[in-house]
Amino acid sequence: MAFFIASSPHAHNRRSTPDLMKWVAICALPGLVVQTYTFGWGTIIQLILAIAVAMGLEALTMIARKRPPISALRDNSALVTAWLLAIAIPPLSPWWIVVIGLIFAIVVSKQLYGGIGQNLFNPAMVAYVVLLISFPVQMTSWISPQQLQVNAMPIGDAFSLIFTGFDSEGLSLQQIRSGIDGVTMATPLDALKTSLTAGNTISEALAQPQFSGLAGIGWEWVNLAYLLGGLMLLKLRIINWHIPIGFLVSLTLVSGISMLLSPGTTGSPIFHLLSGATMLGAFFIATDPVSASTTVKGRIIFGALIGALVFIIRSWGGFPDGVAFAVLLGNMCVPLIDYYTKPRTYGH
């Protein structure tokens, strides 16, 4: 009988790594559909571009390492990394944002550490943070949801903006965002932070047009769609409940306590749960089997740490949404968490 040794992720079920990665992408489809409906065709264009670039970089890197590229492409890890990065960036970001981001995700964060199972950090989040710090204008140029736009942007204009910087009428993205073809707005998290910094109350901040009864127009439905996909992952036992529950419960408790101690100066727990990348982070990013904690108690602590860090960064950090930074900080703490939560050896 042959004995095979393989790198992580190690799953306690009969699914292979390609199968696990495939189901992660399938369960992300509800969020992708709602995100495309909310922000237009740019999301689909970015996804197709990201998958093509990621597969190409994965193959070239494996060839450079003198290893067969087919095995690396078949594990679908590059597909999931490309998928997560494509839906995390603004839909009309220039094409080179995706290319630069995937170079850091596939080549630097993954392959230079030895490939799948060897990376210390979530590759997609490494790419996102590098892009956010290096190109803050492009990475914060979200357009308003289509519900607030005068006219929905056709797919041709979205394609032209991504690859040339202008639409069919010669308008740039900044001109479109400034009101010529849409509504001037930041993301709900950014708008709330800016309004509170200016001395306004929560009620005054939430009176802006991009907010609805629960969170931000469009964003709440995107988060609910990713929640649905996350529940599908749990149902199929692709992921365990420990990290998502730890993440969401921690974020709810910390934001709730903050609201009780300082009413009128922070968003409600519902607002934080349904804004930004909360559900995407809880079910699809923090649960990365390679860079997350491996023990049962450790996963709960890992998720709770990320949830608390998300609220801290959103409230007092320099960026409106802190999911990517929180996940990377949590990845740094994984060796320490695993060391102190490893199960005791039987008989000791």
Side-chain angles (χ1 to χ4, degrees):
M1 180 181 294
F3 181 71
F4 296 98
I5 299 177
S7 63
S8 57
H10 303 295
H12 294 286
N13 55 38
R14 298 184 182 274
R15 297 183 188 274
S16 62
T17 297
D19 193 39
L20 291 172
M21 296 295 176
K22 178 190 69 176
W23 277 107
V24 169
I26 291 173
C27 291
L29 283 174
L32 176 67
V33 171
V34 176
Q35 192 169 337
T36 302
Y37 174 79
T38 302
F39 296 106
W41 291 104
T43 303
I44 296 294
I45 298 173
Q46 298 283 11
L47 177 61
I48 296 172
L49 173 64
I51 292 174
V53 173
M55 293 298 184
L57 289 171
E58 185 94 328
L60 290 174
T61 309
M62 292 298 290
I63 292 173
R65 295 177 60 194
K66 298 181 179 180
R67 296 188 178 184
I70 298 299
S71 59
L73 294 176
R74 284 177 177 172
D75 64 26
N76 292 327
S77 60
L79 168 68
V80 172
T81 298
W83 194 300
L84 293 177
L85 182 62
I87 60 181
I89 65 175
L92 298 179
S93 300
W95 62 271
W96 46 266
I97 286 287
V98 168
V99 175
I100 294 175
L102 287 171
I103 290 174
F104 276 92
I106 301 296
V107 180
V108 178
S109 179
K110 179 183 175 183
Q111 291 294 344
L112 289 185
Y113 280 87
I116 185 172
Q118 306 299 322
N119 50 288
L120 302 178
F121 303 98
N122 186 295
M125 293 301 96
V126 170
Y128 182 87
V129 168
V130 168
L131 292 172
L132 185 60
I133 295 174
S134 303
F135 310 104
V137 174
Q138 289 80 6
M139 289 294 291
T140 54
S141 295
W142 286 86
I143 60 173
S144 61
Q146 294 196 101
Q147 297 94 312
L148 297 177
Q149 295 181 24
V150 177
N151 297 304
M153 182 177 296
I155 187 172
D157 281 354
F159 186 89
S160 181
L161 277 165
I162 291 171
F163 289 98
T164 69
F166 300 93
D167 67 1
S168 59
E169 297 180 359
L171 300 176
S172 67
L173 178 59
Q174 296 306 318
Q175 288 175 313
I176 293 174
R177 294 184 69 242
S178 64
I180 294 179
D181 191 32
V183 177
T184 301
M185 62 166 290
T187 62
L189 286 170
D190 194 12
L192 180 65
K193 179 187 285 288
T194 302
S195 184
L196 293 177
T197 303
N200 297 321
T201 64
I202 284 292
S203 58
E204 292 172 336
L206 298 181
Q208 300 180 61
Q210 62 264 45
F211 292 101
S212 62
L214 296 177
I217 293 177
W219 288 92
E220 56 197 18
W221 292 109
V222 171
N223 273 278
L224 289 173
Y226 283 117
L227 172 60
L228 174 62
L231 294 177
M232 293 167 57
L233 288 175
L234 291 174
K235 176 68 175 178
L236 295 170
R237 296 185 178 181
I238 304 298
I239 62 174
N240 295 308
W241 60 268
H242 310 92
I243 293 176
I245 295 301
F247 184 123
L248 298 178
V249 170
S250 173
L251 179 58
T252 301
L253 289 176
V254 174
S255 58
I257 293 172
S258 178
M259 188 176 66
L260 291 175
L261 296 177
S262 182
T265 61
T266 184
S268 67
I270 292 295
F271 175 82
H272 282 284
L273 289 174
L274 299 181
S275 293
T278 299
M279 296 301 172
L280 177 67
F283 290 97
F284 292 90
I285 297 175
T287 53
D288 173 29
V290 176
S291 57
S293 180
T294 57
T295 66
V296 173
K297 292 180 181 178
R299 293 190 192 107
I300 297 175
I301 296 172
F302 176 74
L305 174 64
I306 294 175
L309 287 172
V310 166
F311 177 79
I312 291 171
I313 296 171
R314 286 178 177 180
S315 300
W316 299 287
F319 297 96
D321 196 359
V323 171
F325 290 96
V327 169
L328 293 182
L329 290 172
N331 292 157
M332 292 180 186
C333 299
V334 163
L336 184 66
I337 294 173
D338 283 352
Y339 179 80
Y340 284 104
T341 59
K342 60 184 178 182
R344 297 178 64 182
T345 303
Y346 181 75
H348 292 268

